[in-house]
Amino acid sequence: MQKTTVVVIGGGATGVGILRDLCMRGVDAILLEQQDLAYGTSSRYHGLLHSGGRYAVKDAEAGKECIEENTILRKIGRHCVEQTEGFFARTHLDDEAFEGKWLEACAKVGIPTIPISVEEALRLEPNLSPKIKSVYRVPDAAIDGFRMVWQNVASARKYGGRVLTYTTVAGIEHSNNQVVGIKVRNTLTGEVSNIACDFIVSAAGSWAGEIAALAGINVNVQPDRGTLIAFNHRITSRIVNRLRPASDGDIFVPHGSITILGTTSASVNKPDDTVPNAKEVVELLNIGEALFEDIRSYRMLRAFAGTRPLYSADPNATGRGASRGFVTLDHAHDGLKGFVSVVGGKFTTYRLMAEKVTDLVCGYLNVKTPCRTAVENLVEDTSPALMAKARLYFPAYGAELAASRLGSEGLEKVIARIQEKPEKRQLLCECENVTMAEVEEAAADSTSYMISDVRRKTRMGMGTCQGAFCTFRSVGAVDANGLSWGKDTNVLFKEFLQGRWKGIRPILWGNVMREMELTRGIYEGTLNINGAIDNEGI
């Protein structure tokens, strides 16, 4: 039986942030995640590092938290942040009266808003609609959710943190109204085991209600699904928000070579209801035309969806009517000591949420070490000498991309792989500049059990071809390295391609249909992964 002081449930941004904070304060902790890290909401959103402007009018406290954490994350997680800045643009369809309310609200919570002329905005972002009426600059930024989660894990591991993925909670063990352990199930093997612990922190997002129910406690979390569209190029170099009360389809966020448009809001019954549909895509395109008139001429890569874990003491407050703030629930008040849930919040405020939860836990554990997560960088900067070394082995721009994904320690290991076998500098994913050596490094991590786990660590398959070419290359690399989970290549192909298909299906028209036929030709026609061809008759 494993033993630890604290078990953290949930491998999204909040969970890994709590793991990092606990471990930095010297508390022994294990994190459990039912799938892969960053599988849920932390990777299924638009990737906006909020200035707080979106919430300033309706939810001033959330707006204040966002601008403060925005400033912190730009420093400690700068390798995950692209400092794009943002525009709030009022279109010809939007209420002019709201503009004044918004400016006053932003000023009250400390969000800087700089007015610029429409002419200047169009010069900076020529794809914007010329019908826009007014524009303000705000300190929004783009943030890579996958990278932020993994860098928190890297930091936590440095302080002794442990992570178990593909592990579900089967029961919460307690004695005399005090937590004493947790029963878990490995979803890959079915094995059930126990972990002895003194404290449990549920940071399970939309699943927080289900976790609490295992202890007979009610937590009112309403999953709210948001659908988004990824386009294959940068429609805009800056985040563009529509200047109106928060609604559907009013945020465009550039990420690397793509742009994400989001999001919708629909209450759902299940936390894992994350399958987008064509109707939602069309609605987003219709709304997005107010900011970018030519939106229908831009090539879509995929649609995807996640569920927001909205919490409210009022069960009737759903969707955009619920606060985007967060709440820490100490279940000692419900009769069970050593159990805490954190619900609500935003990705932008994950570090603050983790700090508040860890303060509470450390108070019970009598740990006096102060929080340092706001001042200590997630990963060390890559030295100029290491970067110079990396440029000898990576293609143009590839060294910087690899360094940002891997950090100094991981980059050193990947370079060593290439030095030992130069052929491993081969690109398996041209879209994201991912080498064979990086794929091997990600595949060898203790949390990798399938190709999609490698994808989330490297961004392989997330570019223009959506896995059409890098899937067979990456499967080949896994097979060649003899990894125990990589023996059935047919299963690897299908798992990875099915994940890509889930996001392509809702946009299956025009050029997307043609490109899907190419992928089908490669994997079904040439490689015969469905076994439809009688090989003996060839």
Side-chain angles (χ1 to χ4, degrees):
M1 177 190 293
Q2 293 193 67
K3 294 183 179 181
T4 188
T5 303
V6 180
V7 169
V8 181
I9 303 170
T14 306
V16 298
I18 294 168
L19 179 72
R20 179 188 186 227
D21 201 341
L22 285 167
C23 294
M24 287 176 68
R25 301 196 206 192
V27 178
D28 187 31
I30 294 176
L31 181 140
L32 310 177
E33 165 55 41
Q34 63 178 332
Q35 298 283 337
D36 184 26
L37 297 175
Y39 174 86
T41 308
S42 293
S43 63
R44 297 173 184 270
Y45 80 121
H46 40 52
L48 169 60
L49 182 61
H50 282 277
S51 63
R54 184 166 168 80
Y55 306 113
V57 173
K58 187 175 180 180
D59 199 340
E61 184 62 26
K64 184 174 184 293
E65 290 170 352
C66 282
I67 188 60
E68 292 173 351
E69 289 301 303
N70 176 304
T71 303
I72 292 170
L73 293 184
R74 286 171 183 265
K75 296 176 182 177
I76 68 164
R78 56 183 171 273
H79 299 293
C80 309
V81 176
E82 184 182 354
Q83 302 199 34
T84 59
E85 83 165 354
F87 282 174
F88 268 79
R90 180 171 64 83
T91 76
H92 65 292
L93 301 174
D94 301 326
D95 182 9
E96 185 176 358
F98 180 77
E99 187 173 327
K101 296 178 183 177
W102 178 79
L103 287 169
E104 182 181 352
C106 286
K108 284 183 178 179
V109 298
I111 301 167
T113 56
I114 302 172
I116 64 171
S117 67
V118 172
E119 291 74 21
E120 175 67 2
L122 292 173
R123 184 187 70 80
L124 294 171
E125 297 295 346
N127 290 325
L128 272 172
S129 168
K131 296 178 183 178
I132 57 173
K133 298 301 181 181
S134 56
V135 182
Y136 297 86
R137 302 172 86 157
V138 297
D140 283 335
I143 186 166
D144 188 319
F146 294 104
R147 199 174 301 171
M148 181 66 76
V149 166
W150 276 103
Q151 290 191 0
N152 270 275
V153 169
S155 178
R157 281 173 166 171
K158 185 172 68 173
Y159 289 97
R162 290 172 282 171
V163 174
L164 299 176
T165 55
Y166 295 96
T167 302
T168 60
V169 179
I172 293 175
E173 309 289 337
H174 51 87
S175 177
N176 298 322
N177 299 320
Q178 169 68 49
V179 165
V180 296
I182 190 166
K183 181 181 292 185
V184 300
R185 178 181 293 106
N186 184 307
T187 62
L188 301 176
T189 65
E191 180 184 358
V192 176
S193 60
N194 288 76
I195 301 173
C197 64
D198 302 316
F199 221 100
I200 295 172
V201 176
S202 171
S206 295
W207 287 264
E210 295 182 5
I211 297 298
L214 294 173
I217 296 170
N218 180 57
V219 172
N220 182 43
V221 175
Q222 172 59 57
D224 186 85
R225 188 178 71 194
T227 293
L228 308 98
I229 304 172
F231 297 89
N232 83 318
H233 62 285
R234 285 175 80 106
I235 297 169
T236 168
S237 294
R238 292 162 181 78
I239 283 121
V240 178
N241 305 266
R242 191 163 165 182
L243 184 45
R244 63 173 183 173
S247 187
D248 290 357
D250 51 9
I251 304 175
F252 287 82
V253 184
H255 281 279
S257 60
I258 71 168
T259 306
I260 295 175
L261 162 62
T263 175
T264 61
S265 176
S267 295
V268 293
N269 296 323
K270 296 181 179 180
D272 56 356
D273 185 350
T274 58
V275 179
N277 59 62
K279 180 181 178 182
E280 293 170 325
V281 171
V282 172
E283 288 174 352
L284 284 171
L285 293 174
N286 289 339
I287 298 168
E289 282 181 317
L291 285 171
F292 293 92
E293 293 182 341
D294 295 330
I295 191 171
R296 293 179 184 277
S297 67
Y298 304 140
R299 179 188 162 201
M300 294 182 288
L301 281 179
R302 64 189 295 104
F304 60 101
T307 56
R308 307 174 184 89
L310 301 184
Y311 172 81
S312 177
D314 176 8
N316 296 315
T318 60
R320 301 196 188 279
S323 170
R324 277 0 185 215
F326 67 91
V327 178
T328 301
L329 303 173
D330 183 351
H331 297 306
H333 302 302
D334 300 309
L336 181 59
K337 298 177 182 178
F339 183 30
V340 167
S341 295
V342 56
V343 290
K346 301 291 298 176
F347 188 101
T348 300
T349 59
Y350 89 86
R351 191 215 61 83
L352 176 64
M353 295 165 69
E355 178 180 346
K356 297 302 183 184
V357 172
T358 305
D359 284 346
L360 175 61
V361 174
C362 286
Y364 277 109
L365 299 176
N366 199 30
V367 173
K368 306 296 184 182
T369 308
C371 177
R372 305 195 314 278
T373 59
V375 295
E376 183 172 316
N377 292 341
L378 292 176
V379 295
E380 297 178 0
D381 291 337
T382 305
S383 69
L386 182 58
M387 285 306 305
K389 187 177 180 181
R391 291 189 185 98
L392 298 175
Y393 301 100
F394 291 88
Y397 306 109
E400 285 75 14
L401 289 171
S404 67
R405 289 191 294 258
L406 293 160
S408 296
E409 184 178 349
L411 185 61
E412 284 269 23
K413 292 179 180 179
V414 168
I415 290 174
R417 287 178 181 270
I418 295 174
Q419 287 177 323
E420 182 180 356
K421 294 185 177 181
E423 65 271 19
K424 292 186 178 182
R425 67 190 297 180
Q426 173 192 349
L427 287 179
L428 297 190
C429 176
E430 283 109 343
C431 299
E432 298 293 334
N433 271 243
V434 183
T435 63
M436 179 183 291
E438 185 177 349
V439 168
E440 290 179 356
E441 184 67 26
D445 189 271
S446 62
T447 61
S448 292
Y449 296 95
M450 55 193 71
I451 295 293
S452 288
D453 297 346
V454 177
R455 170 177 63 81
R456 282 181 280 270
K457 293 179 178 71
T458 63
R459 291 190 61 83
M460 176 186 68
M462 298 173 70
T464 301
C465 84
Q466 287 291 289
F469 300 109
C470 55
T471 302
F472 62 81
R473 296 168 182 164
S474 58
V475 168
V478 169
D479 180 61
N481 278 269
L483 295 170
S484 60
W485 54 269
K487 294 179 180 178
D488 192 333
T489 54
N490 206 41
V491 169
L492 296 180
F493 275 127
K494 290 181 178 180
E495 181 273 326
F496 191 88
L497 291 170
Q498 187 61 37
R500 300 293 81 197
W501 166 248
K502 181 180 176 181
I504 293 170
R505 182 170 51 191
I507 59 170
L508 204 57
W509 60 79
N511 284 334
V512 178
M513 177 75 82
R514 298 183 184 95
E515 289 153 9
M516 195 62 214
E517 279 299 290
L518 170 63
T519 302
R520 192 172 69 87
I522 293 171
Y523 293 97
E524 198 170 63
T526 304
L527 296 176
N528 189 29
I529 64 168
N530 284 328
I533 300 173
D534 181 1
N535 292 319
E536 294 182 2
I538 296 177

